[in-house]
Amino acid sequence: MRRGAAASLRPPEGRCRRGARYGARVRVGILTAGGDCPGLNAVIRACGRRLMRAGHEPVGLLRGYRGLAERDHMVLDHPALSGILHLGGTILQTSSYNPFREPDGIEKVKAAQQADPLDAIVAIGGEHTMMITGRLHEEIGLPVLGVPKTIDNDVTGTDFTFGFDTAVQIATDAIDRLHTTAQSHDRVMVLEVMGRNTGWIAVCAGIAGGADGIVIPELELTVEELADGIARRHQFGKDFSIIVVAEGAELAFASGEKRVIRESEETDNYGYPRLGGIGEALARELEARTGYETRVTRLGHVQRGGTPTASDRLLATRYGIQVAEMALAGEFGQMAALRGAEMTSVPLSEVEGIKTVDLRYLEVARTFF
Ligand code: F6P
């Protein structure tokens, strides 16, 4: 495991380190960046409580890296960290502020660190935030650490991100509900789920909900193949079908034609295109080919809001404790990670690209359609 350059902040024999630089307490800034996801507050709570227990001071940096650059802080004391375990969203609010892209962003970050130094900065975010966090460590030597979050489960270096289980549960609930109405009306139901450029949510919810077809960006499945599958189900006496499609999938045809469906040409602050709309396009094609009445549900941000599942609260809490330990040990430039059943850490420099779906999951799903 690669260690950061800074010395360990762990106090000798469990007492607070007292020194000219740190004073009585170590101050650790915590921020949440990028899109929100269920479990962020559980990480903030666990990290903050672990630090306080050792006599240190967690500080909330508001709206992602903007809070660091503009010194917009909030106190994270016991009352602030109490009663938030089960809450969705983030008490620290979030933004896609990227100091490398904002005018004077890096200068502001440096000035803030000089005026009011933080001994460690914990950034909870997705793949893009991890990249920014890695650069802040490499290029300006900030004492930063990362915690991976996203409903998409696409961050490399870790097996699972918190928030993913909640999104899968919400999508599975939706499939269950679609089943009863699809069955009553002999309809095809197309459910579009999030996941950006990966199909993790689609595949896992599709298996858990018993979908009859799953379309993901990682593997081409043509409209004709799907339509044939639906027709076969009808021959076997099933008059309804549920198709789950990931927002990042393409519309593929047997002719070799592929259509990229986008809600708009707009990109977000990180440069990602706004996805969405494949569900409607796919439904039209399926209805035209099968002749079965088809309806579409796009789950959208419902997948990101509200209460985290018990499993996500547990995982988020483990991430929070892990990153607090890493901060106290001075493991800067590292990201907390889940490998198998163990919490560990990996260098942020190794967190790159996106983690695509393990296609063995899709093989499991295919047993049933
Ligand atoms: O990365 C999480 C996610 O919810 C994706 O699944 C989705 O494509 C995107 O964020 C939506 O972003 P926004 O909230 O900016 O619309």
Side-chain angles (χ1 to χ4, degrees):
M1 182 189 299
R2 205 186 65 159
R3 303 277 163 169
S8 167
L9 303 181
R10 193 187 294 283
E13 293 155 20
R15 284 178 292 112
C16 286
R17 176 174 175 152
R18 289 175 188 277
R21 183 172 165 220
Y22 298 121
R25 292 171 140 193
V26 163
R27 291 176 78 229
V28 179
I30 305 175
L31 63 88
T32 52
D36 71 336
C37 95
L40 285 169
N41 288 322
V43 180
I44 297 164
R45 169 182 175 267
C47 179
R49 294 279 285 270
R50 174 66 188 87
L51 292 167
M52 284 196 286
R53 207 181 163 87
H56 302 298
E57 183 188 352
V59 177
L61 310 180
L62 297 174
R63 296 184 180 83
Y65 275 115
R66 182 185 296 282
L68 178 65
E70 295 178 1
R71 296 174 61 194
D72 194 5
H73 299 176
M74 83 178 249
V75 173
L76 288 182
D77 53 9
H78 272 288
L81 293 175
S82 176
I84 62 169
L85 171 62
H86 63 293
L87 296 182
T90 162
I91 59 164
L92 300 178
Q93 298 182 273
T94 186
S95 79
S96 303
Y97 181 96
N98 178 350
F100 290 102
R101 287 180 64 165
E102 296 291 329
D104 300 329
I106 291 299
E107 293 318 310
K108 283 182 183 168
V109 166
K110 283 184 184 165
Q113 259 302 84
Q114 217 158 22
D116 187 14
L118 292 159
D119 302 303
I121 297 155
V122 170
I124 313 169
E127 162 251 332
H128 210 90
T129 301
M130 293 305 111
M131 190 267 286
I132 294 169
T133 306
R135 283 187 67 187
L136 288 171
H137 181 251
E138 291 290 325
E139 296 178 27
I140 64 168
L142 273 196
V144 284
L145 307 105
V147 178
K149 69 85 219 174
T150 169
I151 62 165
D152 305 333
N153 196 38
D154 62 352
V155 180
T156 58
T158 192
D159 290 351
F160 287 99
T161 49
F162 64 89
F164 171 62
D165 184 69
T166 306
V168 169
Q169 186 60 56
I170 291 167
T172 304
D173 288 344
I175 296 173
D176 288 350
R177 287 173 186 279
L178 290 173
H179 259 107
T180 59
T181 172
Q183 192 169 27
S184 307
H185 289 268
D186 293 349
R187 279 175 174 162
V188 174
M189 292 290 186
V190 174
L191 176 69
E192 180 185 304
V193 298
M194 283 185 163
R196 217 180 283 274
N197 294 314
T198 67
W200 282 102
I201 299 175
V203 169
C204 292
I207 294 172
D212 307 302
I214 301 173
V215 188
I216 57 172
E218 288 90 340
L219 199 71
E220 185 178 298
L221 185 63
T222 64
V223 168
E224 289 82 356
E225 285 170 315
L226 277 169
D228 287 351
I230 293 168
R232 268 198 308 278
R233 269 177 62 78
H234 279 245
Q235 281 157 18
F236 288 128
K238 290 284 189 187
D239 296 328
F240 71 95
S241 295
I242 310 279
I243 307 296
V244 180
V245 57
E247 62 178 1
E250 287 179 352
L251 202 57
F253 296 88
S255 62
E257 186 199 349
K258 285 186 192 144
R259 283 185 221 152
V260 177
I261 312 289
R262 292 273 184 277
E263 181 164 81
S264 77
E265 291 309 307
E266 271 176 54
T267 52
D268 65 17
N269 259 10
Y270 289 158
Y272 292 120
R274 187 151 299 150
L275 299 178
I278 173 91
E280 282 88 353
L282 180 61
R284 272 195 303 276
E285 297 294 337
L286 290 178
E287 191 169 69
R289 279 168 178 74
T290 63
Y292 303 127
E293 203 180 358
T294 304
R295 294 285 189 270
V296 191
T297 303
R298 199 205 287 191
L299 274 185
H301 290 80
V302 164
Q303 291 159 100
R304 256 175 41 191
T307 307
T309 57
S311 177
D312 267 341
R313 294 182 207 184
L314 179 61
L315 181 58
T317 299
R318 292 180 73 200
Y319 269 117
I321 302 281
Q322 170 70 14
V323 78
E325 301 284 354
M326 287 162 58
L328 294 177
E331 285 185 39
F332 304 129
Q334 297 276 129
M335 179 184 86
L338 178 73
R339 290 283 177 88
E342 300 299 321
M343 295 306 304
T344 180
S345 69
V346 295
L348 279 161
S349 55
E350 289 176 13
V351 181
E352 51 186 358
I354 57 166
K355 185 181 70 197
T356 53
V357 169
D358 178 341
L359 292 178
R360 286 172 297 186
Y361 279 80
L362 200 58
E363 282 312 311
V364 170
R366 279 199 168 147
T367 309
F368 307 96
F369 52 80

